[in-house]
Amino acid sequence: MRIGVIGAGNMGTAMGTIWAAKGHQILFSFTNGSMRLQKALAAAGVNGRSGTPAEAVAFGEVVLLAVPWAAVGEALKAAGLLKSKVLFSCVNCLKPDFSGLAVGTTTSAAEEIARAAPDARVVEALPPMAEVLAAAHHRLAGQQISTFYCGDDAEAKAIVAGMLRDLDLEPIDAGPLTSARYIEPNGMLQVQLAYRMGLGSRIGIKLLRG
Amino acid sequence: MRIGVIGAGNMGTAMGTIWAAKGHQILFSFTNGSMRLQKALAAAGVNGRSGTPAEAVAFGEVVLLAVPWAAVGEALKAAGLLKSKVLFSCVNCLKPDFSGLAVGTTTSAAEEIARAAPDARVVEALPPMAEVLAAAHHRLAGQQISTFYCGDDAEAKAIVAGMLRDLDLEPIDAGPLTSARYIEPNGMLQVQLAYRMGLGSRIGIKLLRG
């Protein structure tokens, strides 16, 4: 396949290099570091070339958009018309300092609950589906399910982490209560997979490390 | 530990029952199904009792809030003052029909990109950290990393799923492009764990099934 890469940064060059090794043809464009681009071109060998974003669009059956959120406008402008092209976006709208998302998340149930109960020490954790907890064992395919928790009170968080362990879940500290803005959509994603995408309720998330 | 449960539904009774089996004392309150409550009380045995939300607060060293989003206001009102109590919230702000989140998520990078490039067939997938992809192997602790993808064009999605497989990632179809509202916070959660919580960039998510 011919793949046009717009955004030859860490992510775009890493993905493009692997695809080139798999035999795909890659055109890298829109880099902010010519050293990185040269390294990717060397790694891609005969399957790699470079050009402009417009050339990436003309070249690719698929266009990978792999730019920082702040550069999306400029990148799409340079790309020009995308006429039914498959645009594979791996752009997340991270704020430049990685402190949160620039669009889309404004609050969370946990923050609203903390506002409604200002005298409580709120900790949020979203365990797996009730069906998984109601079963005799709470592991899936033998593996322990990870459960993210967040809050602004260290002692309260430690108590909740212990309660999660008592459910045979692996507690993962996700930071302050505002992290509920990420944990709740993650829970919703699992609801979507279970009920809308047909995977059923015996699913869960595991955080891999290695 | 003494745990007051507000919301003796599927989730609250499942968690309370397990904790009771671990030796914790549970007071269940605020049920919408007395059969379920009776079953939970029977399962909890000497470690279980029932009462009002205010009694759950008075009883519990920790209060578990496990009600549907729409019932939060009523539940907190019935709970009364929570004076520095640890409030373990497992409430997600799911819409009643499970079609999305009622608060907090309004849009996503992918939807904004699709608006900016209306002639493209946008598919979003957020692969793991570039550091994981740049390594010789892309598995963590021997396990394949799951990568959620979403979009509104079936053919385009199938192409992107294949490209993810070429990266040795497990593609998980998360539905329409609006699912980016859940995928992007999930990506942000991993950024938060890697950089703010100190887990480093060699992390990833696996969807467990079983």
Side-chain angles (χ1 to χ4, degrees):
Chain A
M1 203 157 59
R2 292 188 313 280
I3 302 169
V5 173
I6 301 179
N10 284 331
M11 187 61 92
T13 56
M15 294 168 80
T17 302
I18 302 165
W19 286 326
K22 288 273 176 184
H24 298 298
Q25 302 282 317
I26 315 296
L27 191 155
F28 294 101
S29 74
F30 204 75
T31 187
N32 65 351
S34 56
M35 285 279 288
R36 194 187 288 122
L37 178 61
Q38 290 310 319
K39 207 175 143 195
L41 285 171
V46 297
N47 288 333
R49 70 203 70 191
S50 66
T52 66
E55 286 166 347
V57 171
F59 175 83
E61 297 158 73
V62 176
V63 176
L64 176 75
L65 184 64
V67 300
W69 174 242
V72 165
E74 184 191 347
L76 288 177
K77 195 175 164 198
L81 277 185
L82 283 153
K83 282 193 74 172
S84 299
K85 196 74 73 171
V86 176
L87 182 67
F88 177 168
S89 170
C90 67
V91 176
N92 204 350
C93 48
L94 300 178
K95 291 180 183 170
D97 65 356
F98 288 11
S99 66
L101 294 175
V103 300
T105 55
T106 54
T107 184
S108 60
E111 289 165 275
E112 297 301 316
I113 286 167
R115 244 186 294 276
D119 46 349
R121 294 185 286 162
V122 177
V123 178
E124 172 172 278
L126 299 183
M129 308 283 173
E131 290 86 343
V132 174
L133 291 176
H137 301 284
H138 312 136
R139 301 199 173 199
L140 294 173
Q143 299 205 73
Q144 196 179 28
I145 299 170
S146 302
T147 301
F148 304 107
Y149 66 100
C150 65
D152 295 330
D153 183 290
E155 189 191 48
K157 286 175 75 173
I159 290 169
V160 168
M163 293 168 76
L164 292 172
R165 271 184 218 105
D166 277 345
L167 301 172
D168 195 21
L169 303 170
E170 179 197 26
I172 306 279
D173 185 352
L177 197 66
T178 50
S179 293
R181 297 177 186 194
Y182 321 130
I183 293 175
E184 290 169 18
N186 188 58
M188 177 63 215
L189 180 59
Q190 293 177 61
V191 168
Q192 169 101 337
L193 293 173
Y195 301 113
R196 182 160 178 181
M197 304 309 297
L199 298 190
S201 58
R202 289 193 55 78
I203 59 172
I205 285 287
K206 182 174 187 64
L207 182 71
L208 301 177
R209 281 169 276 194
Chain B
M1 203 157 59
R2 292 189 313 280
I3 302 170
V5 173
I6 301 179
N10 284 331
M11 187 61 91
T13 56
M15 293 167 80
T17 302
I18 301 165
W19 286 325
K22 289 274 176 182
H24 299 296
Q25 303 282 318
I26 316 294
L27 191 153
F28 293 100
S29 74
F30 204 75
T31 187
N32 63 352
S34 56
M35 285 279 287
R36 193 185 290 122
L37 177 61
Q38 290 310 318
K39 208 175 140 196
L41 285 172
V46 296
N47 288 333
R49 70 203 69 191
S50 67
T52 66
E55 285 165 348
V57 172
F59 175 82
E61 296 158 74
V62 175
V63 176
L64 177 74
L65 184 65
V67 300
W69 175 242
V72 165
E74 185 191 347
L76 287 178
K77 194 175 165 196
L81 277 185
L82 283 153
K83 280 192 77 171
S84 299
K85 195 75 72 170
V86 176
L87 182 66
F88 177 168
S89 170
C90 66
V91 176
N92 204 351
C93 47
L94 300 179
K95 291 180 183 171
D97 65 357
F98 287 11
S99 66
L101 294 174
V103 300
T105 57
T106 54
T107 185
S108 60
E111 288 166 276
E112 297 301 316
I113 287 167
R115 243 186 294 278
D119 47 350
R121 295 186 284 162
V122 177
V123 178
E124 174 172 276
L126 299 183
M129 308 282 174
E131 290 86 343
V132 174
L133 291 176
H137 301 285
H138 311 137
R139 301 199 172 200
L140 293 173
Q143 299 206 73
Q144 196 178 27
I145 299 170
S146 302
T147 302
F148 305 108
Y149 66 100
C150 65
D152 295 329
D153 182 289
E155 190 191 47
K157 285 174 75 173
I159 290 170
V160 168
M163 293 168 75
L164 292 172
R165 272 184 217 105
D166 278 345
L167 300 173
D168 195 21
L169 303 171
E170 179 195 27
I172 307 279
D173 185 352
L177 198 64
T178 50
S179 293
R181 296 177 188 194
Y182 321 132
I183 293 175
E184 291 169 16
N186 187 61
M188 179 62 214
L189 181 57
Q190 293 178 59
V191 168
Q192 170 103 337
L193 293 173
Y195 300 113
R196 185 161 176 178
M197 304 308 296
L199 298 189
S201 57
R202 288 192 57 80
I203 60 173
I205 286 287
K206 184 175 187 63
L207 182 72
L208 300 177
R209 283 170 274 194

